[in-house]
């Protein structure tokens, strides 16, 4: 077994996955920001958490601004930068990782061209142009089949056939639907509602996200799922998949809808009918909380300032919401039939990709024989 930050272990017995466990071994690195100025901490956060470095840097600055008692208002440039980073991460999963799981050729050329174009956005005009290219990608990869019929599919068979007429992502969705419902339980982990930073402050236990909370976040004793599915649950086609208990497919579909939203934010930043991707609020004298909607879900940064230096810092990442003990991965990953360990591994990998951890992960499937000889 290689050393990876997130190890996903399943127990398979007699054609059934009986349990799963998410072992999250990544260190809590937020403490490294203590003793730094806000500007130093913002630069360091972009390196420590490089996968979503833009979101991390802006979260530091927003939290510190709120801690100073200053009202935080996101500007166009920040909103656009956050949307660009989220779009790049969405495309990485959808165009590279998902095709690999299905034995398809990754869409490398299209990904490379768009990723570079997004990295080179410098002004309103280039953001508008590249945002249009991203919208075209979503249309080609997923929605082109729906454009032909000009109506919602009447049933899952038609839904699958419609997806299959699109590009690589559409074909993956079609195969996910054809593989059968993915929800093993009647009750599912609720989706994290859209909350502003001030709302989240009210729900924090003891007014501060301590280490236990950062490892296993919850609100009022309830665990939640965060990410594209939570943001796009009201989309009719996403909702259709949820209704038929195809939550893995629904998450992938929601990712593409979310990608189109990122493109729209690039072209028309800070629309009145969409909440900003970042906001912050004061938690008291010298204490602030920032909330950022990232590709993977809600990211929280909490800071306590003493003068101009950081005295305490906490980060709650999307991975800790979805892969916490008793969270959505462990809840949804067990209690379903699998003809053999190979299929169990494949489907657990699909669930993990759909929930999108921000660290490398490895899946292990244990059988009775392996447990007996352990």
């Amino acid at each position: 077994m290689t050393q990876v930050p997130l190890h996903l272990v399943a127990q398979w017995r007699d054609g059934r996955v009986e349990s799963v466990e998410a072992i999250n071994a990544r260190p809590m690195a937020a403490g490294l920001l203590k003793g730094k100025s806000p500007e130093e901490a913002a630069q360091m956060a972009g390196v420590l958490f490089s996968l979503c470095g833009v979101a991390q840097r802006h979260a530091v600055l927003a939290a510190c601004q709120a801690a100073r008692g200053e009202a935080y208002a996101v500007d166009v440039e920040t909103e656009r930068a956050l949307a660009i980073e989220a779009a790049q991460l969405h495309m990485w999963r959808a165009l590279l990782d998902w095709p690999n799981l299905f034995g398809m050729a990754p869409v490398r050329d299209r990904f490379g061209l768009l990723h570079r174009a997004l990295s080179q956005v410098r002004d309103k005009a280039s953001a508008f142009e590249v945002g249009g290219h991203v919208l075209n990608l979503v249309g080609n990869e997923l929605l082109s089949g729906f454009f032909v019929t000009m109506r919602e599919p009447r049933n899952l068979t038609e839904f699958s056939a419609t997806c299959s007429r699109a590009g690589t992502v559409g074909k993956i969705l079609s195969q996910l639907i054809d593989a059968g419902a993915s929800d093993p339980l009647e009750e599912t982990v609720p989706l994290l509602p859209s909350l502003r930073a001030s709302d989240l402050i009210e729900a924090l236990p003891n007014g501060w996200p301590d280490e236990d909370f950062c490892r296993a976040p919850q609100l009022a004793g309830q665990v939640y799922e965060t990410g594209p599915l939570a943001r796009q649950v009201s989309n009719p086609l996403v909702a259709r998949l949820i209704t038929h208990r195809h939550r893995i497919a629904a998450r992938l579909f929601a990712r593409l809808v979310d990608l189109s939203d990122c493109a729209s934010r690039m072209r028309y930043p800070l629309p009145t009918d969409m909440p900003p991707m970042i906001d912050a609020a004061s938690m008291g004298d010298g204490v602030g909380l920032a909330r950022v909607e990232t590709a993977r879900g809600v990211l929280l940064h909490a800071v306590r300032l003493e003068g101009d230096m950081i005295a305490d810092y906490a980060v709650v990442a999307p991975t800790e919401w979805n892969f916490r003990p008793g969270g959505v991965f462990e809840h949804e990953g067990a209690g379903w039939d699998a003809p053999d360990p190979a299929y169990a591994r494949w489907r657990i990998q699909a669930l993990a990709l759909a929930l999108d951890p921000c660290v490398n992960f490895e899946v292990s499937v244990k059988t009775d024989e392996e447990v007996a000889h352990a």
Side-chain angles (χ1 to χ4, degrees):
M1 181 181 72
T2 58
Q3 294 300 313
V4 294
L6 183 62
H7 189 202
L8 309 175
V9 183
Q11 175 66 51
W12 179 88
R13 178 183 292 116
D14 297 330
R16 187 171 179 82
V17 175
E18 295 197 339
S19 66
V20 293
E21 181 183 10
I23 303 171
N24 187 352
R26 73 168 175 165
M28 297 280 100
L32 297 175
L33 304 182
K34 296 179 183 179
K36 304 293 190 296
S37 70
E39 293 72 22
E40 291 170 336
Q43 183 176 7
M44 179 178 286
V47 176
L48 286 174
F49 313 104
S50 58
L51 197 62
C52 53
V54 172
Q56 302 283 354
R57 288 196 300 271
H58 283 287
V60 172
L61 296 174
C64 289
Q65 186 173 331
R68 295 191 187 104
E70 304 170 5
Y72 180 80
V74 61
D75 55 57
V76 167
E77 288 74 20
T78 297
E79 178 86 353
R80 183 178 289 138
L82 292 171
I84 287 172
E85 180 176 73
Q88 290 173 318
L89 293 172
H90 280 323
M91 290 193 310
W92 187 293
R93 281 298 195 214
L95 301 182
L96 303 183
D97 293 336
W98 275 103
N100 275 331
L101 183 63
F102 278 77
M104 300 181 184
V107 191
R108 295 189 185 280
D109 291 344
R110 191 79 185 274
F111 170 80
L113 288 171
L114 274 178
H115 194 280
R116 285 192 296 272
L118 287 164
S119 301
Q120 294 167 3
V121 168
R122 295 293 181 267
D123 52 30
K124 179 179 178 180
S126 59
F128 191 89
E129 179 182 3
V130 178
H133 294 324
V134 174
L135 289 173
N136 288 337
L137 171 73
V138 175
N140 292 333
E141 285 297 323
L142 178 61
L143 298 178
S144 57
F146 294 89
F147 295 154
V148 173
T149 60
M150 296 301 290
R151 60 171 174 78
E152 291 186 27
R154 291 192 174 92
N155 51 57
L156 281 181
T157 300
E158 189 173 302
F159 201 126
S160 172
T162 302
C163 289
S164 70
R165 290 193 288 268
T168 299
V169 179
K171 291 177 173 57
I172 290 170
L173 269 164
S174 176
Q175 291 189 33
L176 276 174
I177 294 169
D178 293 344
S182 61
D183 295 358
L185 304 175
E186 292 296 332
E187 295 184 7
T188 57
V189 172
L191 300 170
L192 186 67
S194 178
L195 299 172
R196 296 183 63 83
S198 55
D199 301 319
L200 289 160
I201 289 172
E202 297 292 329
L204 287 177
N206 305 317
W208 177 263
D210 59 18
E211 184 172 345
D212 288 341
F213 184 91
C214 293
R215 282 286 186 191
Q218 46 78 28
L219 298 179
Q222 175 65 62
V223 301
Y224 287 94
E225 174 181 346
T226 188
L229 187 64
R231 288 192 291 263
Q232 304 299 340
V233 65
S234 61
N235 178 280
L237 295 173
V238 173
R240 176 75 67 84
L241 290 169
I242 292 174
T243 297
H244 290 284
R245 302 174 65 173
H246 283 267
R247 292 177 86 87
I248 294 178
R251 293 182 182 103
L252 179 54
F253 201 107
R255 180 179 300 280
L256 271 292
V257 178
D258 220 53
L259 177 56
S260 68
D261 278 357
C262 291
S264 296
R265 290 179 187 273
M266 290 168 55
R267 305 184 98 198
Y268 306 102
L270 300 175
T272 57
D273 59 343
M274 297 173 71
M277 296 185 71
I278 181 172
D279 73 324
S282 172
M283 301 171 68
D285 187 25
V287 187
L289 180 78
R291 172 210 60 90
V292 188
E293 286 288 354
T294 71
R296 292 173 168 86
V298 171
L299 169 71
L300 301 180
H301 277 223
V303 63
R304 182 177 288 113
L305 295 178
E306 290 183 0
D308 293 328
M309 305 301 287
I310 292 174
D312 201 2
Y313 211 95
V315 175
V316 186
T319 297
E320 275 60 48
W321 287 95
N322 292 339
F323 291 87
R324 57 152 288 163
V328 61
F329 173 79
E330 291 190 356
H331 186 79
E332 195 173 314
W336 43 271
D337 295 334
D340 52 56
Y343 177 80
R345 181 189 303 276
W346 175 85
R347 192 167 124 175
I348 291 169
Q349 287 175 325
L351 175 60
L353 271 184
L355 292 170
D356 197 8
C358 57
V359 293
N360 291 332
F361 67 90
E362 180 178 81
V363 175
S364 296
V365 178
K366 294 183 178 181
T367 64
D368 284 344
E369 291 78 10
E370 291 170 323
V371 171
H373 289 88

